[in-house]
Amino acid sequence: MSKLTLSKIRTFKPEGRKIVVLTVYDYPSARLLDNAGIDWLLVGDSLGNVVQGKTTTLSVTLDEIIYHAEMVVRAAQQAFVVVDIPFPFCQLGSTEAVRAAARIFKETSADAVKLEGGENRASTIAALVDAGIPVLGHCGLRPQEIRQTGGYFVQRQRELLFQDIKAVENAGAFAVVLECIETELAREATNLLQIPTIGIGAGPFCDGQVLVFHDLLGYKPEQTRTPKHVKQYADLQTIISNAVKNYADDVRNAVFPGMENSF
Ligand code: KIV
């Protein structure tokens, strides 16, 4: 299979073909996802939460996202790779956003960038597109605004959402993530737009779905509650814990290394 391009992606919505997206942050995981036929790999700033163990995405730096994105792009032979512009480059305005995205492009060879925001980021999206940088929008719940909003809530404000997604589409984004939006609202939003909607906690009627790699696989350090929007397809926490406990037992009991692992 050849590399997925933007022009091919543009045929998906008219053909009713769902887009499958997963976040990923390192080379071996990205190789596995690419081999499994995942359409888009997103190097999200959820990096801060699931890799760095922080409570928000706000501290992720441009250098850090570039470090991880370079590995993912190198691993992706087929998948389209999107990289988050971390806080606060888009908040600083179009020039800073283009500067940050240009560094992402030059240093990783990613296919596109993602930025959070609606009408308030329309001019920034337009500037990026004008610079030849494809943009994935991100409306609804916006984790970079957590300090302003005070929490992760389901979005129910119909007019505001529609205003935002139309502005993102009109500014030239090729698709938009809808995060934590009531199912019916997300269905209406999907029907309203020509560009695909990629849902996370936005019900089944979006044109595609995205999940965080660690959530999908149950790759977490503690027994925490799985959010309603996540379907956990594996239990890596148990698999990893059992494997390393077995290893520790074997070392302590002089079972490992046996002669079969010795020279
Ligand atoms: O940072 C991220 O991983 C994201 C997805 C959850 C959409 O923005």
Side-chain angles (χ1 to χ4, degrees):
M1 276 244 296
S2 55
K3 177 99 181 158
L4 184 58
T5 59
L6 206 49
S7 51
K8 179 80 185 141
I9 288 166
R10 290 203 166 101
T11 66
F12 281 25
K13 181 160 180 161
E15 289 172 1
R17 181 173 156 187
K18 294 271 190 186
I19 301 168
V20 184
V21 188
L22 268 175
T23 71
V24 67
Y25 318 91
D26 65 76
Y27 182 89
S29 306
R31 286 289 313 123
L32 290 173
L33 302 195
D34 194 57
N35 282 336
I38 301 303
D39 295 313
W40 303 356
L41 305 182
L42 170 64
V43 186
D45 58 5
S46 51
L47 171 70
N49 306 113
V50 295
V51 176
Q52 298 175 332
K54 309 266 178 73
T55 52
T56 76
T57 60
L58 294 171
S59 64
V60 172
T61 67
L62 187 56
D63 284 340
E64 287 166 350
I65 208 106
I66 286 173
Y67 173 77
H68 288 270
E70 189 280 328
M71 297 181 230
V72 170
V73 172
R74 203 156 25 84
Q77 291 171 7
Q78 300 163 35
F80 188 82
V81 182
V82 184
V83 180
D84 251 335
I85 301 181
F87 180 82
F89 294 94
C90 296
Q91 289 79 356
L92 286 169
S94 300
T95 308
E96 286 305 315
V98 173
R99 211 190 297 278
R103 258 201 76 195
I104 291 171
F105 259 38
K106 284 175 95 75
E107 295 176 37
T108 74
S109 299
D111 297 300
V113 296
K114 176 167 82 60
L115 66 86
E116 295 179 15
E119 206 170 22
N120 60 342
R121 299 282 172 262
S123 58
T124 301
I125 294 171
L128 287 160
V129 173
D130 186 53
I133 299 171
V135 177
L136 172 61
H138 183 152
C139 293
L141 193 157
R142 308 196 297 232
Q144 290 184 4
E145 291 170 22
I146 179 76
R147 296 269 192 267
Q148 181 77 19
T149 53
Y152 299 105
F153 307 113
V154 176
Q155 310 294 297
R156 301 171 203 279
Q157 285 177 293
R158 191 171 181 280
E159 291 317 315
L160 200 63
L161 176 71
F162 289 177
Q163 227 170 289
D164 279 341
I165 59 174
K166 276 312 275 180
V168 166
E169 176 171 74
N170 290 338
F174 66 89
V176 61
V177 168
L178 300 182
E179 179 161 357
C180 282
I181 289 170
E182 278 186 336
T183 299
E184 274 313 311
L185 208 53
R187 187 215 292 255
E188 274 188 72
T190 299
N191 291 337
L192 189 70
L193 297 183
Q194 305 288 316
I195 58 172
T197 57
I198 309 294
I200 176 162
F205 304 112
C206 294
D207 299 302
Q209 296 292 329
V210 57
L211 276 180
V212 170
F213 179 83
H214 294 62
D215 291 345
L216 174 103
L217 296 174
Y219 186 9
K220 52 191 179 181
E222 279 112 28
Q223 207 49 264
T224 44
R225 191 183 67 84
T226 305
K228 184 173 164 66
H229 69 270
V230 172
K231 183 169 175 183
Q232 194 183 305
Y233 286 82
D235 183 6
L236 285 199
Q237 185 194 33
T238 304
I239 291 171
I240 293 172
S241 299
N242 288 343
V244 299
K245 278 180 196 153
N246 288 341
Y247 163 70
D249 285 347
D250 281 359
V251 171
R252 287 177 185 132
N253 296 320
V255 172
F256 176 83
M259 284 321 290
E260 69 279 15
N261 302 115
S262 302
F263 301 102

